[in-house]
Amino acid sequence: MKKSLLLLLLASSAWADVKVPAEHSTTVTLSNTDLNRLVCEDGEINNVFYSEEKGLTVAIEGHNAFVKYLIKQTGDEPAYITTSTELHVICDGKTFTLIAQPTQGNAKTVRLVGGNQTALNNTIKRYGGLDHEQRLVTLMRQIYRNELDDNFAVTQYADPLRVFPADVKKVPFFENLSIVKQREVRLLGVGLRATEYQLTARYPMRLTETDFLEADLGHQIAAITVSRFALKAGESARLIIIQ
């Protein structure tokens, strides 16, 4: 594995997020002012059932569901919702019941970790003593070397991806590069997800990790590595991005 590894957002540790099991009622605290996030660790969120009259909205996007409480106006003062809300979340076919207590405060992330309990225990035992940066480096190394065991959930793809860079100056770069999504790897119970791509140059070009800091490749990118930095026409490289 190349020693060059770009690490970002090292101050944010996913280990501190709230984790809840399946098939139990779990009380969680959610922000009644900011956008909260529910994360399905073992697959995609299939649906979320709740009472709309409780004054909240839910948007589902793949592994995530985003919960926002509505703020009403009473005269000149905003009225924040404080009544508890029951949410039934279908995550990878399993049901998670959350008793949400809306309070003023920062946005919350709740991780739904009702998968293989043995795998979860092994993950916590192996990675629980590592700091955030060590977890990123360890995960990147295991993916690069294909050292994936039952602690990982792997989904294979073979889809070409078109990137629309925010910086118009980077458009020619991505037009000259074929990007094919190969696989997605999730480390169960930790809140880290990696996506591996195959890059193929249409013309000779040089690459850097920062070239791939694009929203189309991930919104919460924590680490990036590229296997080769100089490509001739037709040559390929591996790109691994951890979110």
Side-chain angles (χ1 to χ4, degrees):
M1 175 181 175
K2 293 190 69 65
K3 293 183 179 179
S4 179
L5 173 65
L6 180 65
L7 299 178
L8 304 168
L9 308 177
L10 297 180
S12 62
S13 172
W15 209 266
D17 295 340
V18 176
K19 298 178 177 64
V20 301
E23 307 303 340
H24 290 84
S25 294
T26 305
T27 300
V28 298
T29 299
L30 298 181
S31 171
N32 62 2
T33 57
D34 293 337
L35 189 65
N36 303 283
R37 180 183 174 212
L38 312 179
V39 184
C40 180
E41 292 288 351
D42 298 335
E44 294 195 349
I45 291 183
N46 311 115
N47 213 333
V48 180
F49 299 94
Y50 61 98
S51 299
E52 295 185 2
E53 61 268 19
K54 291 295 182 72
L56 73 158
T57 62
V58 177
I60 300 172
E61 184 65 35
H63 305 285
N64 303 286
F66 300 93
V67 179
K68 181 72 171 68
Y69 285 91
L70 304 177
I71 303 175
K72 299 180 180 180
Q73 198 73 19
T74 303
D76 295 331
E77 297 295 327
Y80 299 100
I81 293 175
T82 57
T83 305
S84 63
T85 309
E86 190 171 62
L87 299 168
H88 300 282
V89 185
I90 311 301
C91 161
D92 194 40
K94 297 179 288 291
T95 302
F96 294 74
T97 299
L98 308 179
I99 310 300
Q101 301 288 349
T103 60
Q104 291 194 41
N106 295 329
K108 305 296 183 182
T109 297
V110 177
R111 300 193 176 276
L112 312 176
V113 292
N116 186 302
Q117 192 61 48
T118 300
L120 294 176
N121 292 339
N122 290 339
T123 300
I124 293 171
K125 182 178 179 180
R126 180 179 299 182
Y127 297 93
L130 302 179
D131 64 28
H132 190 50
E133 181 174 353
Q134 289 172 324
R135 282 199 292 274
L136 291 173
V137 173
T138 301
L139 176 58
M140 186 70 79
R141 182 182 297 114
Q142 289 179 287
I143 294 171
Y144 195 92
R145 296 175 177 173
N146 203 32
E147 299 173 344
L148 305 178
D149 53 26
D150 291 341
N151 296 319
F152 297 89
V154 181
T155 304
Q156 298 290 148
Y157 298 92
D159 302 326
L161 181 72
R162 187 176 180 188
V163 176
F164 299 90
D167 183 353
V168 69
K169 296 178 182 178
K170 295 175 69 173
V171 171
F173 173 86
F174 284 103
E175 288 181 341
N176 293 331
L177 191 66
S178 168
I179 303 176
V180 177
K181 187 176 182 180
Q182 299 285 291
R183 61 180 177 175
E184 185 175 275
V185 179
R186 298 190 306 281
L187 181 56
L188 300 177
V190 174
L192 293 176
R193 174 165 53 96
T195 307
E196 180 172 347
Y197 302 91
Q198 178 179 287
L199 310 175
T200 304
R202 296 190 173 97
Y203 301 95
M205 59 193 312
R206 293 195 63 83
L207 314 174
T208 67
E209 288 97 341
T210 54
D211 291 328
F212 302 98
L213 288 172
E214 293 295 332
D216 294 323
L217 297 172
H219 292 283
Q220 291 184 307
I221 294 176
I224 299 175
T225 194
V226 179
S227 64
R228 300 174 64 187
F229 294 114
L231 298 179
K232 298 178 182 179
E235 289 186 335
S236 297
R238 296 171 68 189
L239 167 69
I240 302 172
I241 296 178
I242 297 178
Q243 301 180 63

